Amino acid sequence: QVQLVESGGGSVQAGGSLKLSCAVSGYIFSRCRMAWYHQAPGRERTLVSTIINFGATWYADPVKGRFTISQDRVKNTVLLRMNSLKTEDTGVYYCAADRSLDWSTCDYWGQGTQVTVSS
């Protein structure tokens, strides 16, 4: 049973930093794209960043240059380092294994972690 558990959210002032962590039970990095999504209050969930098997990364335009996604092979985690936070970054951040790299199933989601950025 694959489980994703996020941590690291919290409250921070604009301009500050947070590091989100997603602990993954089960080794799925070689067969699943890993992603972070953001859901702002009252808005739909949007894709923030992705990483494929410790390699290629992608960032949504609003976070380019501010957020960094990475994977830790030893701890089996996916990290999202968020710098220069803005009030519009407020919301719930979800870790997901959202796309298969082969023919296996990859549709796993964490419960989310709250990030609040105040001005």
Side-chain angles (χ1 to χ4, degrees), residues 90-117:
T90 292
V92 180
Y93 284 78
Y94 297 90
C95 176
D98 68 341
R99 184 172 294 180
S100 177
L101 305 178
D102 54 25
W103 298 106
S104 62
T105 298
C106 288
D107 186 17
Y108 308 107
W109 292 79
Q111 82 287 350
T113 186
Q114 176 70 42
V115 170
T116 302
V117 184

Side-chain angles (χ1 to χ4, degrees), residues 58-110:
W58 174 89
Y59 299 93
D61 285 344
V63 307
K64 279 181 182 176
R66 301 190 297 121
F67 290 12
T68 304
I69 191 170
S70 62
Q71 290 172 295
D72 187 316
R73 194 183 304 271
V74 174
K75 296 182 179 179
N76 213 34
T77 57
V78 183
L79 305 173
L80 186 68
R81 180 69 180 179
M82 306 187 295
N83 295 325
S84 303
L85 282 162
K86 304 176 180 180
T87 55
E88 52 263 44
D89 295 322
T90 292
V92 180
Y93 284 78
Y94 297 90
C95 176
D98 68 341
R99 184 172 294 180
S100 177
L101 305 178
D102 54 25
W103 298 106
S104 62
T105 298
C106 288
D107 186 17
Y108 308 107
W109 292 79

Side-chain angles (χ1 to χ4, degrees), residues 25-78:
S25 66
Y27 194 76
I28 59 173
F29 291 163
S30 62
R31 64 179 183 85
C32 297
R33 183 181 82 170
M34 302 303 298
W36 285 96
Y37 285 77
H38 171 226
Q39 186 164 22
R43 302 248 176 131
E44 292 188 354
R45 198 175 298 185
T46 59
L47 185 61
V48 172
S49 182
T50 65
I51 187 167
I52 294 177
N53 201 15
F54 302 94
T57 58
W58 174 89
Y59 299 93
D61 285 344
V63 307
K64 279 181 182 176
R66 301 190 297 121
F67 290 12
T68 304
I69 191 170
S70 62
Q71 290 172 295
D72 187 316
R73 194 183 304 271
V74 174
K75 296 182 179 179
N76 213 34
T77 57
V78 183

